[in-house]
Amino acid sequence: LLINVVQLTATTVVLLHMYWPLGLVVAAASAPIVWLSMRFEKRYVVISRRVQDEQGDLATYAEEGAVGIRVIKSFGRSEHVSAGYERAADRLHATSMEKVRLSARFWTFLEVIPNVAVVIVLALGAYGVGRGSLTPGELVAFITLLLSLVWPVSSLGVILAMAQEAMTASARILEIFDTEPSIVGGDRRIDAPRGHVRFEAVDFAFPDTPDTPVLAGLDLDIAPGETVALVGATGSGKTVLTALVPRLWDVTGGRVTLDGVDVRELELEHLRSLVATAFEDPTLFSMSARENLTLGRADATDAEIDEALQIAQAQFVHDLPWGLDTRIGEQGMALSGGQRQRLALARAVLTRPTVLVLDDTLSALDVHTEKLVEEALRRVLADTTGIVVAHRASTVLLADKVALLQGGRITHVDQHSELLATVPAYRELLAAEAEPDPSGPSGTGVPEGVSA
Ligand SMILES: Nc1ncnc2c1ncn2[C@@H]1O[C@H](COP(=O)(O)OP(=O)(O)O)[C@@H](O)[C@H]1O
Ligand SMILES: [Mg+2]
């Protein structure tokens, strides 16, 4: 762009100097070029942004289709989904053609205008030579110089289009880079963490639904080393509550404290090294089993990994084709839901957190495995503060006490048996389990003392 502009100005000045009437013709030709370029820029920036956005939409379609292929097939919706993809592809095609048409028109003018200037200069120059105000040699020199301008002008179109596209692409990237993180850590650290977690009058609402709070005036005190089972209906805010401790979300009112320090005052990395969460829907990365396990603690030894695997009943890892070095996750070995949950649990346990959060981590395990996991977990939880989201009576029994989440608040904190006897809502939530429990046969087939 720079070289073209310099060449255009310098040559025009030289031409004006050589024979000013013809030089004026050349200078005049630049007016429509500048005007056209500006119009083109304005429209091109809009349309090239549209093309890039639509390319993004199309890529999303393709990715979702590939990732969700099982769901799509099982509902017999291949036609529907591929029709959606085709619509997006057609839209992109139409917009791209519009873009091509726009640049084709612009580039045509960039070819035509300098060549028309050459024709006019040739005609007027011949007339000038005839009248004797210009020598034929001067005219040839003039035309030669003028011809050297044709290429810089017509290539201007390509350069401007490329510059526009780079600018819109940068704008898309900068939109992301410029996002201010809303969760910023403080600078405090806890030297000897004990794991005293307190929720004090906590309010929480999602940013896009500020009028419907998920949590409102919630209080909960979890003593160091204590384990609380969190019970509540689906959608009552259990996951949100657990996410407030490592600050995956921030409270909108009240505060959450760890050993008396507001979590917002703590260094973010420090806080998150103290609190480990095993999620209900665990994400495993396309790395080896070992790398997945040591995500939260890269320096864990093999013995420690083994212990964590044993606690989570995830010894199946050793039976994978390459043991701990087997690649798992998205592009590796496919694991079942229960296996993934157990790996996620082992990953959380391995970090030896001060506060261990299990968000429905055991939901995909069969009763037998769950029992084994719980026996082992009980040892871990003995000196770790635990928040265990639970749906089954058997999971609830892991905890020292049970907190019932209803209507955005903790309405009851008590022993499982007490709640079962006195709170109808609690009874309903755990009904399926609570009924057959005392009769005993649920334990059949499970060898006693298996954990020993
Ligand atoms: N990212 C989100 N944006 C808006 N609302 C959400 C979001 N995640 C969850 N919710 C809503 O917050 C409520 C509590 O969700 P959650 O804590 O996941 O429930 P659960 O108790 O089943 O774990 C639900 O009503 C859910 O619809
Ligand atoms: Mg949940």
Side-chain angles (χ1 to χ4, degrees), residues 206-209 214 232-241 249 280 359 389 391 405:
F206 281 101
D208 40 355
T209 49
V214 179
T234 307
S236 58
K238 303 183 293 295
T239 297
V240 169
L241 175 79
W249 292 102
E280 175 183 13
D359 184 5
V389 175
H391 280 128
L405 179 58

Side-chain angles (χ1 to χ4, degrees), residues 30-50:
S30 65
I33 291 175
V34 170
W35 179 72
L36 270 174
S37 301
M38 273 160 43
R39 258 184 57 139
F40 170 77
E41 292 262 302
K42 236 181 256 151
R43 295 177 54 188
Y44 197 78
V45 75
V46 176
I47 201 152
S48 76
R49 171 73 200 225
R50 253 176 63 201

Side-chain angles (χ1 to χ4, degrees), residues 81-114:
V81 173
S82 79
Y85 177 86
E86 231 150 86
R87 267 198 305 279
D90 283 343
R91 208 167 34 239
L92 173 62
H93 178 253
T95 318
S96 303
M97 287 310 288
E98 209 179 308
K99 182 177 115 176
V100 168
R101 262 182 232 116
L102 180 66
S103 25
R105 269 207 303 275
F106 178 56
W107 294 354
T108 306
F109 279 114
L110 288 187
E111 292 278 349
V112 166
I113 293 170

